[in-house]
Amino acid sequence: MHRSGAIMAWNVFKFCTALRSLGSVMILLVLGVIGVTYYAVVITNYGPSLTDGGVDTLIALLVLILFHSLLVMLLWSYFSVVCTDPGGVPHNWRPEIDEERGENDPLTDLEPADLASPRIRFCRKCNQLKPPRCHHCSVCGRCILKMDHHCVWVVNCVGALNYKFFLLFLDSLVMERYLEHLEPLLQLFLLLC
């Protein structure tokens, strides 16, 4: 669209700051899903089987022990990724060498004209230099080191300092998802023994 020589562009990220207000709601939603899962697995399915006796009690006990250990790991990794800062760029950060090219020429005495150089990245929103693999998050409003994405489920960016916790959270979710397939395997194992 051209209007009087100016290019009019629609900014999709203009509404990203509205995602900040969803923070508490998303955490409560995740905890609600975990609570419903706990109710379905422990209270309705395997809890009553503990009093039946026999092989069903042993299978229920093994599944509940595994479920609770995965639940503790899931909650620990979830709150770790929510509460851990993803890693921001320190204010007035300046590279000592050109890290993008591996050259040893110092960049400490940069002139404003040097900021237009393609070797040095500059964030126009933060008004500061950016290290390699650093991106500006429209939701958080700052540059994040090794930014992967801004996850609305954890209400935080996934970056250099909390990426490990995010992967542990996803692994815990996948393991709990396949926990329901464990009961037939345990029955088969107990029959073979």
Side-chain angles (χ1 to χ4, degrees):
M1 299 176 141
H2 294 282
R3 287 190 185 164
S4 66
I7 297 176
M8 300 292 291
W10 187 62
N11 186 1
V12 179
F13 300 106
K14 182 170 69 173
F15 302 106
C16 286
T17 54
L19 291 176
R20 290 183 206 167
S21 62
L22 288 177
S24 301
V25 175
M26 294 307 284
I27 291 174
L28 290 175
L29 182 65
V30 169
L31 291 177
V33 169
I34 291 171
V36 168
T37 304
Y38 186 85
Y39 176 79
V41 171
V42 175
I43 298 189
T44 61
N45 285 344
Y46 294 105
S49 299
L50 289 174
T51 59
D52 291 347
V55 175
D56 289 338
T57 301
L58 182 62
I59 290 174
L61 184 65
L62 290 174
V63 168
L64 287 175
I65 288 172
L66 184 60
F67 176 78
H68 281 91
S69 63
L70 288 173
L71 182 66
V72 167
M73 190 167 66
L74 173 82
L75 289 172
W76 173 79
S77 60
Y78 179 72
F79 285 110
S80 294
V81 75
V82 167
C83 296
T84 304
D85 182 49
V89 180
H91 292 291
N92 299 324
W93 176 85
R94 296 179 82 73
E96 293 182 14
I97 61 170
D98 189 351
E99 295 170 353
E100 300 251 341
R101 294 185 178 211
E103 296 173 358
N104 289 329
D105 57 343
L107 298 175
T108 54
D109 299 326
L110 291 176
E111 299 295 325
D114 293 336
L115 295 177
S117 170
R119 297 182 338 185
I120 302 161
R121 297 177 57 219
F122 185 78
C123 180
R124 289 175 281 153
K125 295 177 183 171
C126 295
N127 292 324
Q128 67 179 10
L129 295 173
K130 290 197 308 188
R133 297 178 302 279
C134 177
H135 300 286
H136 186 85
C137 177
S138 300
V139 178
C140 296
R142 64 187 186 128
C143 288
I144 305 295
L145 294 172
K146 294 185 182 178
M147 180 181 168
D148 189 76
H149 69 288
H150 185 91
C151 184
V152 294
W153 295 102
V154 298
V155 195
N156 202 355
C157 279
V158 178
L161 301 180
N162 65 356
Y163 194 77
K164 174 180 80 169
F165 302 126
F166 183 73
L167 288 180
L168 287 173
F169 170 63
L170 293 180
D171 287 344
S172 301
L173 285 175
V174 170
M175 284 189 259
E176 282 204 4
R177 169 68 180 97
Y178 290 107
L179 186 64
E180 65 189 41
H181 302 294
L182 183 65
E183 183 179 1
L185 292 174
L186 286 173
Q187 287 177 348
L188 179 66
F189 178 74
L190 290 175
L191 286 176
L192 293 175
C193 291

